[in-house]
Amino acid sequence: MRKKLLTGIMTAAMVMCLGVTPAFAGNTNYATGKVTNVYGTFTYRAMTSYPNKKATANAMWFMNISSLNFAGSIDGTSGITFKPMLRSGNSSYTEVEDADAAWAKTTMSTKYYSWNGHGPANVTYYLGVRLDNRLRNTSATASGYWNAN
């Protein structure tokens, strides 16, 4: 009788473990639209249509760039950068200082970036974008997916 009871408890525990999966934020597709630098202003622009809620505290954020195009010519060392941002008011956003920036000169598969020990869960983040400081007479577009994780 004890053996059947123990077997039943173990079976139920295993079934419960199989039914539990960790919660992760879903990947969010994005398309930057035209990105330009206003002369002397090199700040991130939040892409407000592509929020992502972080599900796991202190987990790395990641992104993928499936298309990246520059208008005009660039020297191959300049590019576009992305960084998570927080909404700080009705229409204002601030970059997450402790999150690594994702620099890209070409398309890239999924890459992970650190939060430097920060990044609480259950917070909605927005993907910020800007061109390299040296790019003043060109624009760029990019698309892919990202995840605050």
Side-chain angles (χ1 to χ4, degrees), residues 2-94:
R2 277 188 170 186
K3 188 174 183 180
K4 283 186 178 183
L5 181 61
L6 185 58
T7 302
I9 292 171
M10 292 302 292
T11 302
M14 288 174 55
V15 169
M16 292 295 289
C17 287
L18 291 174
V20 176
T21 57
F24 292 104
N27 294 348
T28 298
N29 293 323
Y30 70 88
T32 63
K34 186 177 178 181
V35 180
T36 59
N37 281 341
V38 176
Y39 183 77
T41 305
F42 306 107
T43 57
Y44 289 92
R45 174 180 56 90
M47 293 187 288
T48 58
S49 298
Y50 310 111
N52 193 272
K53 191 171 189 175
K54 189 171 187 67
T56 307
N58 301 322
M60 293 179 145
W61 74 280
F62 63 84
M63 71 172 311
N64 173 291
I65 300 174
S66 57
S67 74
L68 178 60
N69 299 297
F70 292 94
S73 62
I74 62 171
D75 63 6
T77 61
S78 301
I80 195 168
T81 186
F82 299 87
K83 195 168 191 181
M85 300 185 79
L86 286 167
R87 188 174 186 158
S88 56
N90 286 340
S91 60
S92 60
Y93 298 81
T94 57

